Amino acid sequence: MSDPQFPEDESTAIRHDMHGRWPAAASLDEFRANLAAVHRRIAAACERAGRPASSVRLLPVSKTKPESSIRLAYAAGCCLLGENKPQEACHKWEATQDLSGLQWSVIGHLQTNKAKLVARFAAEFQALDSLRVAQALERRLQQEGRGLDVFVQVNTSGEASKYGLAPEEVAPFLRQLHAYPALRLRGLMTLAVFSPDPARVRPCFSLLRNLRERLRQDVPAGAQLDELSMGMSGDYEIAIEEGATVVRVGQALFGARALPDSHYWPSPDN
Ligand SMILES: *Cc1c(COP(=O)(O)O)cnc(C)c1O
């Protein structure tokens, strides 16, 4: 077996087993080195896919990392950061008011009772998966006089442990969204199955792209379905080959998280 850290076939590299081994970013130099490495890999994946490197946006994910890490990322030029828990994101937003222009993307499941928080500080919300949440966000955004870029989360792996609409639910869902004008539809988001096997991961990404292709013709005026947010530290290169326009990368930039991912992804079952 080949070592997945040094894959022979770069295009099918999955690095989930890097768990606990992503290089730390305790200094600005270390963060910059990680950032440069990820940008190089993004560029290489784009080249393999015949896409311009500018067609992929890197969203650094700072969840669980302290304020000092956020300051490193900002110093390295990152001005939109992803967080999966609204409360943690809001605390970080409050603690970094001195960093002008720093914006926040909430990428994790939202309960309606947290819509007020997200409406206050977020620039983007990537995990929209119910009309109840859309309605709660709309009401709070109207009160704040703000709008919010949103991605609809799709469950492309069929796993009960993943949030998101089933693929066949997306078209009817999008037809309801015009009732929530503060939500600016930008695209679709997914988490692939968590597997070291590219043959299982890739179909999740291609499903999202195919769904977007089918739906983008008849999105309502003002809405867009251009963006595909898919891919994280372990699988973003495959996601780019399958058309990702946004990759959400945490550990490859900020260093390994201490606990396994199940700890950070509360599933609908628990
Ligand atoms: C944590 C998280 C990521 C990033 O995962 P890494 O393994 O740190 O790259 C991406 N998307 C979502 C929804 C997440 O919660």
Side-chain angles (χ1 to χ4, degrees):
M1 262 196 59
S2 63
D3 180 343
Q5 223 187 322
F6 302 101
E8 284 141 37
D9 179 357
E10 287 257 322
S11 66
T12 54
I14 296 234
R15 290 186 303 265
H16 287 328
D17 71 334
M18 285 286 285
H19 179 71
R21 296 195 290 141
W22 295 105
S27 68
L28 183 53
D29 279 348
E30 285 172 349
F31 187 89
R32 283 206 174 111
N34 287 351
L35 184 62
V38 170
H39 275 305
R40 269 196 307 275
R41 287 188 167 272
I42 289 174
C46 283
E47 188 160 336
R48 284 195 299 276
R51 305 177 52 192
S54 60
S55 64
V56 176
R57 160 161 68 103
L58 172 63
L59 176 61
V61 176
S62 51
K63 71 183 185 199
T64 79
K65 297 295 175 182
E67 190 188 320
S68 56
S69 298
I70 286 160
R71 291 180 180 275
L72 290 183
Y74 183 80
C78 305
C79 45
L80 177 64
L81 298 178
E83 288 280 338
N84 76 331
K85 294 196 173 147
Q87 243 148 350
E88 182 179 341
C90 191
H91 288 143
K92 288 174 173 173
W93 168 71
E94 279 168 347
T96 56
Q97 288 297 304
D98 58 311
L99 305 183
S100 85
L102 180 60
Q103 294 196 303
W104 297 91
S105 175
V106 173
I107 61 176
H109 181 73
L110 183 62
Q111 288 166 328
T112 50
N113 62 359
K114 305 274 168 55
K116 185 180 176 178
L117 280 185
V118 170
R120 194 186 310 149
F121 75 89
E124 182 177 270
F125 174 52
Q126 293 207 356
L128 183 62
D129 63 358
S130 78
L131 291 175
R132 284 181 60 238
V133 167
Q135 192 170 21
L137 280 172
E138 176 71 23
R139 188 163 74 87
R140 297 298 185 172
L141 286 163
Q142 296 286 356
Q143 286 167 3
E144 300 276 342
R146 300 185 71 226
L148 184 67
D149 288 345
V150 297
F151 291 59
V152 173
Q153 184 171 357
V154 184
N155 181 342
T156 54
S157 68
E159 296 167 292
S161 61
K162 293 269 201 312
Y163 284 108
L165 296 173
E168 66 274 15
E169 293 171 336
V170 177
F173 183 81
L174 296 184
R175 284 196 286 273
Q176 307 292 316
L177 274 191
H178 64 87
Y180 311 105
L183 304 181
R184 299 182 293 247
L185 178 66
R186 294 293 182 238
L188 304 177
M189 178 272 222
T190 201
L191 284 159
V193 65
F194 203 70
S195 160
D197 181 3
R200 293 188 59 213
V201 171
R202 194 179 289 276
C204 298
F205 297 143
S206 53
L207 191 158
L208 199 70
R209 186 192 62 234
N210 291 333
L211 188 62
R212 195 253 332 244
E213 295 317 312
R214 249 186 295 136
L215 298 179
R216 84 195 302 185
Q217 284 90 350
D218 38 48
V219 290
Q224 287 165 19
L225 216 50
D226 297 335
E227 307 289 340
L228 290 177
S229 174
M230 53 191 199
M232 33 194 251
S233 293
D235 57 17
Y236 66 89
E237 290 152 283
I238 294 182
I240 289 169
E241 290 168 4
E242 296 301 325
T245 66
V246 180
V247 292
R248 309 177 306 268
V249 178
Q251 298 183 87
L253 292 173
F254 289 92
R257 285 184 296 272
L259 295 164
D261 283 304
S262 54
H263 181 80
Y264 309 110
W265 282 315
S267 78
D269 313 326
N270 62 29

